[in-house]
Amino acid sequence: MHLLSLIVFSFWFSSGKTFGEDQPIQTFVIPHSHMDVGWVYTIQESMHAYAANVYSSVTEELSKVKERRFISVEQEFFRLWWDSVASDTQKKQIRQLVKEGRLEFIIGGQVMHDEAVTDLEDEILQLTEGHGFLYQTFGVRPQFSWHVDPFGASAATPVLFSLAGFNAHLISRIDYDLKDGMQKNKKLQFVWRGSPSLKARQEIFTHTMDQYSYCTPSHIPFSNRSGFYWNGVALFPDPPKDGVYPNMSLPVTKETVHAYAQTMAENIKQRAAWFRTNHLLWPWGCDKQFFNSSVQFRNMDPLMTYINQNSKEFGVTVQYATLSEYFQSVHQSNLTWDVRGSEDFLPYSTEPYQAWTGFYASRNVLKGVARRASSRLHAAETLFTRYRISFPDGPVAKDWALEKLRALRWAVAEVQHHDAITGTESPKVAEMYMQHLLQGMMGAEELLAALFLLPQNQDVSGVPSGSFQGSGQALEQHVIVYNPLAWNITSVVNMTVTFPSAVVRDDDGQPVPAQTQKSALCNASYDLFFVAQLGGLQHRKYSVQFSETSCSGKSKCESTYEARSVAFERRRVKDWRKTGRRLLPVLNGCYKLMFDQDTNLLHSATYLKEQRRIMMTQDFWEYDANGDVKAGPISDNYIFSANGSAVRAYKAVEMEIIPGKVLTEIRQRFYREDGDEDCAYSITTRVPEYSEAGPWCHRLEQTYSLGPLRLNTEVVLRTSSSLDNNRTLYSDDNGYQMMKRTYKKFTNNTLARNYFPMVRTAYIQDDISRLVLLSDRAHGVSSPADGQLEVMLHRRLWNNLQWNLGYNLTLNDSSVVRPTLWMILGSVGATSKLYQRGAVELQHRPFVMPIDRPGKARKDREPRFNSPVPPVVLPPNLHLLSLSIPGWNYTSDHDLHLSRLHSAGKEVRSEPDYDRVLLRLMHLFEEGEDPELSKPVTVNLKDVLKGLGEVRELEERSLTGTWNITTLQRWRWKTADTSGKKNDQHKRNQDFTVTISPKEIRTFFIHFSSRNG
């Protein structure tokens, strides 16, 4: 994101630190280019206008002078350049520069991912994709981060980076007032223990950029151009043919060199005063820089020479450096560092009225599609892995399958960028992300269809059909349901059909509980719900037999119930004088919900096991946003700045209840005006009713419909309860761990600064009860009043800020959004057992694939069906985070891999490795969270995975797979608090047994015995 307009300017010639003449500040000048994978311009536009030129020109200029350096951060642009632009000569030069350490890959992921609204699984994916490419191609493994632009910093990120083998972490965007205090007290560097369970085992040294962030000063006293950016500003859509770009700075000459040197030295001394060591990281670069590296280095080279020749006068020395060279010097200083616990740096504000909490809810549709694509990818990865193990020579071509998987991996990785899933991009870039995701999902679904149908030569007509006792011609359709999780589950499958009656049978020919009802979305269609019971990583076929005639009289639909709706009169808000007199109960095995017929709103909920009642209502409220910069603070893609308190977003409510035997559905429709024909908002609540619901009994599924919104409104779902939570809420960091969010009062903008990201989970609680919401996509969440849990679901904004207008970043989002939340109620202890697994099950719901269209059923034949594949079942506190065939081809022996790369001397196109399986397991619970489920878990992986095949080899690796865990030795940093420090070496018994502790993520390479011959 563009930072030039956000830099905090200080008085240039004041230095807060004085050094003796014999102690010049050692300055590490780190050349870099901040290259957003999207944001304002599409990837194709950026590649054409500047990104390809960055790598072409940097390669040429670094090859000329051995002292020059450059760091490459996000891999997507580099990989596009490497695959489609770079010549053989340039590739040879790159290999040499990497080998010499003069070109350094930092972070190494596909993108610099956002930290507020991204999910842990997707962060790991994008990191793994980039690391796999770098290790296979160059034999390098990034060991440092450069997270300079995400809008706030999560405590989960340092944990992931430490698991990937990083030695230091770098952040920048944290609250302006907090950063100011850290600068003054020299607290910008610390050792971060991001996980309260892992503590020092996964700590990492963290450097916070000062107030200038990742850019060098763009304004200097003697010039009104671009400061130290001699190549000027990138030009879109085409680079200038004459090489003259806008705003190119004055060249360094005999006349200007002293002024440049004095400006640079004073800035160095100002910044050095905020750090403890005599080493200063001086980032040289900013957005879209180094597209003409020749002019950059041609001016900086003599400037640095001049400063070093006069180092006593200036009090500084300067050298080109990579990030590793800087951190090595800091590490060698051997200082003792403060420890930061598991607190994060969210939310993030740049000034009193600029709370960057709006993006938690911006572009709700994109956020939902990104998560759905991730879920689809997980399903395709796990099924293809199982297929490869079982049918290594099966009819599904392995190269075609891997191509489909890689396309979706690329799209899911790409959208994790900090200007992508955040919703802070321009409309055309949002459309680009959506196109890539949808195309990738279509490819994955083609692969899933092939995997389901081809290997066993399935004859879909072989699904048994029983007798359907009803008048009218019976039609039949067949559906495959796949469980992508390594747990046994019972789930409700929902299909939209055009027939009022149906019987559903499993692959044993047995009828399963089902329910039909008229659809809320279309009068001409029906909702079919049926109960599917699936083992871990198991898929089953179901036959659905339809009838155009409803069941009546002697006609029976076996296990199917035809539900009928009961409609309630529309109630106007202005008539709510007496409420709570006519309460209507909806019960299942876990809850009794009471709905108020005087308001058509939820009145209370009782969780039956403890007979604890919580008074509760749910409805929609609107915040009005200011769009005129002259009238006050504005809301935009990034920023939430409410123009007053929220107001009720409706004037009347209708309710419809459909009692059922699989589920009971409550439909509430909210009308903006009393007499409106169409509702503005709706809540559809589904209460599980079937007797074998198990954990599902606790999950109240709610789907909302909002939009198109009125311009400059931000709409929230407000759940108001009798819980005494003191406005304290808990929300998750990236689906990894829960963070306590204590309500804070500020002089200005208190409301917006108390909004937090909710990726998977948020809850409020008192001493007895807890109210949990689980989400299928990211939202903003707050507790603005006691007992309230408020979720921002949708935003539509326009403002006249020229910066926003110039880049088309005004978020005029006219879409209709339909997010889903699961609600869980209960005691603190009971909900602790449920919400972690529930969040995972919501993310990875069973994949449902109709394999034909309704057609005439064939009868009078012997039924033929295949037995389900053996299940793979983990303990309830372990989650199968990944099961995939990455395809990267490198030997596990690092020295041998390097030897092969260097002896080749050129790019070798290696065939993908289709036999190596990547397995990740995650312990879902925190230390002490539950008496049983928080205990370490010991599993024998050979036994657990026998449903897939026979495990032959098992090797533990780092998070992204590039390190053998036995050879990974991360730097150790001295801290005053030495508790919990120990060698984090995992030992595996010869019998494939591993023990996984709370919140651990363990990664393995596995080879299975061949089934050929």
Side-chain angles (χ1 to χ4, degrees):
M1 166 185 176
H2 188 62
L3 266 185
L4 298 183
S5 62
L6 300 179
I7 291 178
V8 180
F9 299 107
S10 296
F11 183 63
W12 287 99
F13 299 104
S14 63
S15 172
K17 190 171 187 177
T18 303
F19 293 92
E21 291 185 2
D22 58 338
Q23 286 187 313
I25 301 166
Q26 186 179 1
T27 309
F28 294 79
V29 176
I30 300 183
H32 75 98
S33 181
H34 187 73
M35 304 162 68
D36 286 309
V37 182
W39 188 38
V40 175
Y41 303 102
T42 67
I43 288 158
Q44 294 78 9
E45 287 174 328
S46 293
M47 280 292 291
H48 175 70
Y50 82 96
N53 289 338
V54 170
Y55 289 111
S56 295
S57 67
V58 163
T59 302
E60 180 180 355
E61 292 306 311
L62 262 60
S63 299
K64 291 178 180 178
V65 180
K66 66 178 182 179
E67 287 79 16
R68 292 172 177 171
R69 302 286 190 271
F70 194 80
I71 62 170
S72 173
V73 180
E74 299 180 276
Q75 288 310 298
E76 179 156 333
F77 279 132
F78 179 80
R79 289 178 68 177
L80 290 171
W81 175 81
W82 181 263
D83 290 338
S84 60
V85 178
S87 65
D88 289 342
T89 299
Q90 288 172 323
K91 289 183 176 182
K92 184 177 181 180
Q93 290 174 318
I94 287 284
R95 291 184 184 280
Q96 186 63 29
L97 293 170
V98 171
K99 185 178 179 180
E100 294 173 2
R102 297 200 284 127
L103 173 65
E104 184 170 68
F105 294 105
I106 303 299
I107 303 179
Q110 283 289 94
V111 298
M112 186 188 301
H113 70 253
D114 173 66
E115 299 194 38
V117 297
T118 44
D119 189 90
L120 163 90
E121 298 185 21
D122 304 323
E123 294 176 344
I124 295 173
L125 167 74
Q126 73 87 19
L127 205 60
T128 302
E129 279 300 285
H131 284 196
F133 164 76
L134 290 175
Y135 191 58
Q136 175 180 285
T137 310
F138 303 109
V140 297
R141 301 172 287 201
Q143 297 177 47
F144 305 96
S145 89
W146 182 266
H147 257 227
V148 296
D149 206 25
F151 320 134
S154 162
T157 305
V159 177
L160 296 185
F161 285 164
S162 64
L163 288 168
F166 285 20
N167 288 313
H169 179 36
L170 188 148
I171 62 176
S172 182
R173 289 184 179 271
I174 64 174
D175 247 20
Y176 70 99
D177 47 1
L178 179 60
K179 178 178 281 193
D180 185 56
M182 292 169 71
Q183 284 185 174
K184 291 176 181 176
N185 297 310
K186 300 183 182 180
K187 301 288 188 181
L188 290 170
Q189 295 170 315
F190 50 87
V191 171
W192 200 350
R193 296 176 181 171
S195 166
S197 293
L198 299 178
K199 302 181 180 70
R201 282 182 292 159
Q202 296 301 338
E203 68 183 18
I204 192 167
F205 180 81
T206 302
H207 172 105
T208 310
M209 287 255 183
D210 58 44
Q211 66 189 39
Y212 294 98
S213 192
Y214 60 81
C215 296
T216 43
S218 58
H219 293 82
I220 52 181
F222 53 89
S223 171
N224 62 355
R225 299 186 186 177
S226 296
F228 295 88
Y229 310 128
W230 291 281
N231 57 192
V233 178
L235 200 61
F236 287 79
D238 302 305
K241 293 181 179 179
D242 59 3
V244 178
Y245 285 83
N247 220 33
M248 297 177 73
S249 284
L250 294 173
V252 174
T253 63
K254 290 181 179 180
E255 292 75 23
T256 63
V257 66
H258 185 79
Y260 268 116
Q262 190 174 32
T263 300
M264 184 172 176
E266 291 297 336
N267 183 252
I268 288 169
K269 287 188 282 188
Q270 179 193 23
R271 299 166 85 159
W274 300 325
F275 295 92
R276 293 179 61 199
T277 74
N278 202 36
H279 317 98
L280 180 73
L281 186 163
W282 203 77
W284 178 35
C286 200
D287 292 58
K288 307 176 187 68
Q289 285 296 313
F290 283 86
F291 48 82
N292 186 346
S293 299
S294 174
V295 70
Q296 289 281 82
F297 284 110
R298 193 167 64 240
N299 283 277
M300 184 59 90
D301 285 356
L303 173 58
M304 292 175 60
T305 299
Y306 182 82
I307 291 174
N308 288 331
Q309 289 173 345
N310 298 278
S311 61
K312 289 189 176 180
E313 174 189 347
F314 292 118
V316 304
T317 62
V318 291
Q319 65 187 77
Y320 291 126
T322 60
L323 193 59
S324 64
E325 290 173 309
Y326 169 73
F327 277 127
Q328 283 169 359
S329 294
V330 175
H331 184 247
Q332 290 166 5
S333 68
N334 206 30
L335 294 179
T336 299
W337 301 96
D338 289 343
V339 170
R340 182 178 180 86
S342 57
E343 304 88 4
D344 61 14
F345 291 96
L346 291 165
Y348 160 65
S349 296
T350 48
E351 56 184 74
Y353 284 102
Q354 290 194 349
W356 292 47
T357 56
F359 78 90
Y360 302 158
S362 294
R363 299 200 190 281
N364 183 283
V365 172
L366 177 62
K367 285 176 166 65
V369 172
R371 287 276 284 277
R372 196 161 69 247
S374 172
S375 176
R376 193 73 79 251
L377 176 62
H378 181 80
E381 296 273 23
T382 54
L383 194 66
F384 176 63
T385 302
R386 167 163 239 157
Y387 180 88
R388 278 292 305 161
I389 296 166
S390 300
F391 306 99
D393 298 315
V396 177
K398 58 188 179 182
D399 53 347
W400 173 81
L402 187 59
E403 179 185 348
K404 298 295 184 184
L405 291 172
R406 283 180 165 170
L408 187 50
R409 289 175 192 168
W410 186 286
V412 172
E414 173 185 85
V415 81
Q416 307 311 315
H417 183 265
H418 56 272
D419 275 308
I421 197 169
T422 52
T424 55
E425 64 280 272
S426 67
K428 67 179 177 182
V429 175
E431 290 172 8
M432 177 200 71
Y433 294 134
M434 286 286 285
Q435 182 182 22
H436 292 176
L437 289 167
L438 294 174
Q439 287 176 344
M441 290 169 70
M442 287 177 61
E445 287 169 11
E446 291 174 19
L447 172 59
L448 283 162
L451 296 172
F452 286 141
L453 299 176
L454 289 179
Q456 299 94 339
N457 296 317
Q458 291 178 348
D459 178 4
V460 298
S461 64
V463 180
S465 63
S467 61
F468 186 88
Q469 301 174 0
S471 58
Q473 174 65 54
L475 298 176
E476 192 169 79
Q477 184 176 18
H478 303 93
V479 180
I480 290 179
V481 183
Y482 174 56
N483 170 23
L485 297 172
W487 298 315
N488 296 332
I489 66 165
T490 300
S491 183
V492 173
V493 174
N494 180 18
M495 296 174 59
T496 300
V497 299
T498 57
F499 301 93
S501 300
V503 171
V504 183
R505 299 178 187 278
D506 62 19
D507 42 14
D508 290 325
Q510 299 301 311
V512 300
Q515 176 178 321
T516 59
Q517 62 191 45
K518 283 195 172 182
S519 173
L521 297 178
C522 177
N523 289 331
S525 63
Y526 298 85
D527 289 325
L528 168 64
F529 303 97
F530 66 88
V531 178
Q533 294 183 317
L534 298 157
L537 301 184
Q538 205 175 58
H539 66 271
R540 302 186 70 175
K541 291 182 294 182
Y542 293 86
S543 68
V544 184
Q545 295 171 331
F546 297 106
S547 173
E548 296 179 358
T549 307
S550 297
C551 301
S552 60
K554 295 182 180 179
S555 175
K556 295 181 180 179
C557 292
E558 300 187 27
S559 297
T560 300
Y561 179 77
E562 291 188 12
R564 302 277 191 268
S565 70
V566 179
F568 296 82
E569 182 182 347
R570 185 181 296 197
R571 297 296 181 185
R572 299 182 300 180
V573 173
K574 65 183 180 181
D575 295 332
W576 291 359
R577 295 180 181 87
K578 293 183 179 180
T579 60
R581 300 171 301 168
R582 299 182 299 157
L583 301 180
L584 185 69
V586 175
L587 289 90
N588 72 354
C590 295
Y591 302 118
K592 179 171 72 173
L593 306 179
M594 302 295 284
F595 289 87
D596 189 344
Q597 295 181 64
D598 291 321
T599 63
N600 287 335
L601 297 181
L602 180 64
H603 173 271
S604 62
T606 302
Y607 52 98
L608 298 176
K609 186 174 182 180
E610 289 94 350
Q611 286 297 313
R612 166 80 171 172
R613 185 176 74 160
I614 301 173
M615 306 302 294
M616 185 186 308
T617 61
Q618 287 185 303
D619 56 359
F620 295 98
W621 292 69
E622 285 181 347
Y623 289 101
D624 290 327
N626 170 45
D628 183 1
V629 293
K630 296 179 181 178
I634 60 167
S635 284
D636 63 11
N637 295 43
Y638 309 90
I639 294 166
F640 172 42
S641 183
N643 191 18
S645 301
V647 296
R648 186 176 278 112
Y650 59 94
K651 292 184 179 179
V653 187
E654 284 182 356
M655 181 170 65
E656 180 182 4
I657 297 181
I658 307 173
K661 293 187 177 180
V662 172
L663 56 83
T664 291
E665 187 169 279
I666 302 99
R667 300 171 180 171
Q668 295 164 291
R669 291 179 282 270
F670 297 78
Y671 295 86
R672 189 171 283 127
E673 299 295 337
D674 292 346
D676 283 357
E677 183 176 342
D678 297 321
C679 66
Y681 316 103
S682 70
I683 303 175
T684 301
T685 304
R686 290 171 177 164
V687 182
E689 298 286 359
Y690 56 98
S691 58
E692 298 178 355
W696 266 83
C697 172
H698 296 272
R699 300 171 189 166
L700 304 173
E701 179 178 296
Q702 294 191 317
T703 299
Y704 315 93
S705 179
L706 307 87
L709 303 184
R710 293 182 293 186
L711 197 59
N712 283 333
T713 57
E714 304 176 74
V715 179
V716 300
L717 171 77
R718 180 174 286 179
T719 303
S720 302
S721 75
S722 56
L723 294 182
D724 184 16
N725 73 314
N726 195 30
R727 295 196 287 190
T728 296
L729 69 90
Y730 296 77
S731 71
D732 62 319
D733 265 4
N734 313 108
Y736 178 66
Q737 61 193 24
M738 299 303 296
M739 311 297 294
K740 185 176 182 179
R741 312 295 195 183
T742 304
Y743 192 87
K744 298 177 182 177
K745 292 185 178 180
F746 299 92
T747 304
N748 301 299
N749 216 20
T750 292
L751 175 68
R753 295 184 74 176
N754 279 285
Y755 253 82
F756 300 90
M758 167 195 185
V759 177
R760 292 185 186 176
T761 309
Y763 61 76
I764 59 173
Q765 66 185 37
D766 58 19
D767 293 338
I768 302 173
S769 304
R770 179 184 285 167
L771 164 63
V772 183
L773 295 180
L774 307 176
S775 180
D776 70 342
R777 67 197 71 184
H779 302 288
V781 64
S782 184
S783 182
D786 199 33
Q788 285 186 354
L789 185 53
E790 184 173 284
V791 182
M792 186 173 289
L793 297 178
H794 199 10
R795 319 173 73 219
R796 184 180 182 185
L797 303 165
W798 183 91
N799 64 74
N800 57 8
L801 182 68
Q802 285 304 308
W803 188 80
N804 281 334
L805 293 175
Y807 289 118
N808 197 10
L809 296 173
T810 57
L811 197 66
N812 189 357
D813 183 355
S814 60
S815 61
V816 176
V817 304
R818 294 186 175 91
T820 294
L821 297 177
W822 286 357
M823 182 164 61
I824 300 175
L825 298 165
S827 66
V828 172
T831 55
S832 292
K833 299 177 186 294
L834 297 169
Y835 78 85
Q836 298 276 19
R837 175 166 168 168
V840 173
E841 289 194 25
L842 176 56
Q843 167 70 5
H844 296 295
R845 285 169 282 187
F847 174 67
V848 181
M849 174 171 282
I851 56 178
D852 57 13
R853 295 180 179 180
K856 187 175 180 181
R858 286 182 284 171
K859 298 185 180 181
D860 302 325
R861 56 177 165 74
E862 288 295 319
R864 293 172 296 147
F865 41 86
N866 300 293
S867 300
V869 294
V872 176
V873 183
L874 290 172
N877 47 3
L878 286 190
H879 170 39
L880 180 70
L881 201 62
S882 306
L883 181 71
S884 66
I885 296 176
W888 300 114
N889 193 336
Y890 51 80
T891 174
S892 295
D893 185 321
H894 179 63
D895 292 335
L896 180 58
H897 178 53
L898 290 182
S899 174
R900 289 175 177 174
L901 284 174
H902 296 156
S903 62
K906 61 179 181 179
E907 185 175 17
V908 178
R909 292 227 173 246
S910 54
E911 286 298 309
D913 185 340
Y914 291 100
D915 298 321
R916 176 190 287 154
V917 174
L918 184 148
L919 170 76
R920 285 194 192 93
L921 301 176
M922 173 182 171
H923 196 302
L924 289 175
F925 286 77
E926 293 283 4
E927 213 173 56
E929 187 175 8
D930 183 85
E932 291 299 321
L933 296 173
S934 289
K935 292 179 179 178
V937 186
T938 300
V939 291
N940 185 299
L941 293 180
K942 193 163 190 173
D943 290 342
V944 166
L945 299 176
K946 65 183 178 183
L948 297 176
E950 183 184 357
V951 176
R952 175 169 52 87
E953 294 177 14
L954 179 71
E955 177 190 357
E956 184 158 9
R957 306 290 291 188
S958 60
L959 182 71
T960 60
T962 56
W963 290 87
N964 184 311
I965 205 72
T966 60
T967 63
L968 176 57
Q969 299 289 332
R970 295 173 57 238
W971 294 355
R972 297 197 173 274
W973 298 80
K974 287 178 64 177
T975 59
D977 178 6
T978 59
S979 61
K981 284 185 179 284
K982 61 179 180 180
N983 248 342
D984 196 28
Q985 295 289 325
H986 296 301
K987 294 186 178 180
R988 176 177 56 82
N989 298 330
Q990 292 302 309
D991 61 354
F992 302 93
T993 298
V994 297
T995 299
I996 303 177
S997 299
K999 282 301 171 183
E1000 273 194 325
I1001 300 173
R1002 304 278 292 276
T1003 304
F1004 304 91
F1005 282 166
I1006 296 178
H1007 284 84
F1008 288 82
S1009 296
S1010 172
R1011 296 193 179 185
N1012 292 331

